[in-house]
Amino acid sequence: MKQIPASLLTLVAGIVITLISFWVGSHNNLLPIQASTAAPAVDSIFNVMVIIGTALFIIVEGAILYFAIRYRRPKDDDSDGVPLEGNLQLEIFWTAIPAIIVIGLGVYSVDVYREMGGLSVGEHAMHSSMMMGQASSTLVAQAPSDVVSDVPTLLADASDDDASTAKYGFGAAPGAEEQAPDVVVNVTGMQFAWLYEYPNEDDLMTAELHIPVNKDVQLNLEATDVIHSFWVPAFRLKQDAIPGKPTQLRFVATRPGTYDVVCAELCGSYHGGMRSEVIVHTEEEYQEWLVEEMEYAMGSNDEGAIASASAALPVDTTQLSTAEYLAPYSEEWGVSPTHLPQHDHHSGHHGM
Ligand SMILES: [Cu+2]
């Protein structure tokens, strides 16, 4: 039988590996549903990395298996292996290929990041500090010493002004920098809950995030205690909430539904329970929800509003009467709450 040339075998192997890798990359099914404009861009770079990873896996593991079988030690062969040392061409080759891959992925990821608005947040802050830089250098160049001494004060003022605007996070999509967002929600992370406040809706407060579909939404994130991270896997978006440093997350949800919000920064003993939901409504549903919530909040009496709001919010157990505190357990024990001890004098709500 005539020997098949090695170059031909390599070519065929290369084609087969490429086809398998592309197939695995585009059918990996590893990611959740896509529910924001950022998701397709993030998924495409993820899939490219899976394609490259699959090819490398097949080549490396394939070579190990092939060599282990093809060059296994024959029976009764106790001789040494062939001494091999150094191969400059091979070393250049296996340094250059990963370098090209890593640089390519780096450029690609910056492009995806830009598309998501990662480069447009804090533009105001950047502009003003750049302008200050110019102003101060002209002052230094032309002015007498008393003006120059004012420069640090001017710079300090500028940075004070910027303290209230987020410099970190995700801003408007490219081309939409001049447009104001359709919906603004202030998000506060605390041990161990997310709180949502709608500044344009009479500071309405909720424990889940409600937003309309296909609208430009801006979240202003902050934290009251430690660093938390606001992560919506279905949106492919994650942004830290940092005490004292406001951050921003601007996005467009593209699919109505209910999606998980997960805290992705280890923030204490109940970090694992720091979950919430984002509900993406159609425009009409969102307006209906708003009206309903506003009616709730401004309800016939204030106590009712507080009760309905607090039902959804984390409970401060120190403010509860004994009967209220035990109510969830009494059901489990088969005891009527009215039979529970009523030691404290303010247990006026017992039996509810
Ligand atoms: Cu947290």
Side-chain angles (χ1 to χ4, degrees):
M1 187 185 135
K2 248 193 148 184
Q3 191 77 29
I4 304 167
S7 57
L8 190 62
L9 278 180
T10 316
L11 181 68
V12 172
I15 292 169
V16 171
I17 291 170
T18 308
L19 289 177
I20 294 174
S21 303
F22 269 91
W23 189 86
V24 172
S26 45
H27 294 82
N28 61 63
N29 271 331
L30 291 170
L31 297 167
I33 234 159
Q34 297 180 335
S36 85
T37 48
V42 173
D43 290 6
S44 61
I45 190 170
F46 178 84
N47 290 341
V48 166
M49 289 193 284
V50 173
I51 291 170
I52 295 169
T54 306
L56 286 175
F57 179 83
I58 295 174
I59 292 167
V60 172
E61 298 304 315
I64 290 173
L65 284 176
Y66 176 75
F67 278 72
I69 295 163
R70 174 78 175 76
Y71 297 103
R72 72 186 184 283
R73 184 178 66 89
K75 235 181 173 167
D76 303 327
D77 180 1
D78 290 329
S79 61
D80 286 338
V82 187
L84 287 175
E85 200 202 329
N87 185 331
L88 188 63
Q89 278 181 324
L90 196 57
E91 278 166 29
I92 290 172
F93 176 76
W94 74 40
T95 307
I97 299 284
I100 290 166
I101 291 174
V102 169
I103 291 169
L105 286 177
V107 171
Y108 186 9
S109 70
V110 169
D111 189 54
V112 170
Y113 189 63
R114 185 193 57 84
E115 210 176 297
M116 292 165 73
L119 300 180
S120 57
V121 75
E123 274 211 329
H124 282 295
M126 253 162 65
H127 279 273
S128 61
S129 63
M130 265 158 58
M131 270 153 47
M132 285 319 293
Q134 280 168 5
S136 58
S137 55
T138 38
L139 282 175
V140 174
Q142 310 167 342
S145 57
D146 57 331
V147 182
V148 175
S149 67
D150 284 335
V151 170
T153 336
L154 284 168
L155 289 175
D157 284 347
S159 60
D160 273 355
D161 285 346
D162 293 340
S164 57
T165 51
K167 287 181 203 165
Y168 311 101
F170 292 88
E177 288 94 343
E178 302 301 315
Q179 289 157 29
D182 299 317
V183 177
V184 176
V185 185
N186 298 329
V187 181
T188 306
M190 66 195 74
Q191 290 170 317
F192 298 92
W194 294 106
L195 202 59
Y196 307 97
E197 190 197 346
Y198 297 72
N200 301 328
E201 313 293 342
D202 267 349
D203 294 338
L204 175 71
M205 266 202 204
T206 59
E208 313 101 24
L209 176 62
H210 292 257
I211 51 166
V213 72
N214 294 329
K215 294 279 176 184
D216 194 355
V217 176
Q218 179 177 320
L219 306 182
N220 299 318
L221 294 122
E222 61 174 359
T224 55
D225 34 43
V226 298
I227 299 176
H228 302 275
S229 185
F230 183 88
W231 180 33
V232 184
F235 291 174
R236 311 290 191 277
L237 291 169
K238 187 195 281 175
Q239 177 56 52
D240 277 5
I242 309 167
K245 279 216 186 297
T247 54
Q248 176 186 315
L249 184 55
R250 198 162 154 176
F251 62 92
V252 177
T254 51
R255 189 178 179 280
T258 302
Y259 307 102
D260 287 335
V261 174
V262 182
C263 179
E265 190 71 60
L266 181 59
C267 60
S269 42
Y270 295 100
H271 160 70
M274 189 168 163
R275 282 168 168 262
S276 160
E277 279 177 339
V278 49
I279 295 114
V280 180
H281 296 283
T282 61
E283 177 64 21
E284 307 85 69
E285 255 177 32
Y286 178 70
Q287 293 303 335
E288 273 169 36
W289 172 81
L290 264 185
V291 169
E292 221 169 86
E293 284 297 307
M294 301 293 271
E295 274 170 6
Y296 233 14
M298 294 185 291
S300 48
N301 60 66
D302 283 342
E303 249 179 76
I306 290 163
S308 71
S310 63
L313 295 176
V315 177
D316 180 0
T317 49
T318 59
Q319 298 297 307
L320 295 179
S321 71
T322 313
E324 282 171 331
Y325 182 73
L326 292 175
Y329 305 99
S330 65
E331 201 176 308
E332 204 177 302
W333 296 337
V335 186
S336 157
T338 46
H339 296 140
L340 288 168
Q342 317 273 324
H343 295 310
D344 42 31
H345 56 273
H346 60 271
S347 56
H349 319 282
H350 66 259
M352 59 181 248

